[in-house]
Amino acid sequence: QVKLMESGGESVPAGGSLKLSCAVSGYTYSRNHVGWFRQAPGKEREGLAVIYIGGGDDTYYADSVEGRYADSVKDRFTISHDKVKNMVYLQMNRLEVEDTAMYYCAATWSFSRRPTLTPSDFGDWGQGTQVTVSS
């Protein structure tokens, strides 16, 4: 079993920045990608970014080593991975009121070198961390 724990969510003004952290522990070699998702009240869960964290052929998964993004956030958000600390981060810049949501990290084993950002493809989830952006 893989455990994930998010942290770093808080209230920030529009235009500000925030860095979320996801601690990955447990049977980590059963998962090779970690993604960030968010869900606002009354809306469906949305995939934001995914990154390869190892456990497979690094050359095969090269397209995911630097992260892959949803079009809606690719110019503002950056996903990264610290292999030594088993941490995955989401740096969020130029935050907008519409970014207000609960943010989750999740893990999966993907056989695709370009994994999707579909929430149902991810089997292990953290509890979430709240991000509130005020105008």
Side-chain angles (χ1 to χ4, degrees), residues 29-98:
Y29 47 90
S30 66
R31 302 290 182 262
N32 63 0
H33 286 81
V34 170
W36 280 99
F37 300 80
R38 67 185 178 189
Q39 188 166 19
K43 294 188 177 181
E44 293 186 354
R45 192 164 294 190
E46 173 190 13
L48 303 174
V50 61
I51 194 167
Y52 172 68
I53 62 169
D57 184 329
D58 290 359
T59 301
Y60 177 80
Y61 291 108
D63 287 353
S64 300
V65 169
E66 298 298 327
R68 301 184 66 246
Y69 300 87
D71 288 342
S72 59
V73 301
K74 64 181 179 180
D75 294 330
R76 298 187 296 124
F77 292 6
T78 302
I79 191 171
S80 60
H81 173 227
D82 186 324
K83 192 171 185 177
V84 174
K85 296 181 178 179
N86 270 342
M87 298 289 292
V88 176
Y89 304 99
L90 186 69
Q91 176 68 45
M92 304 186 294
N93 298 325
R94 304 196 308 277
L95 283 163
E96 303 168 353
V97 173
E98 293 75 21

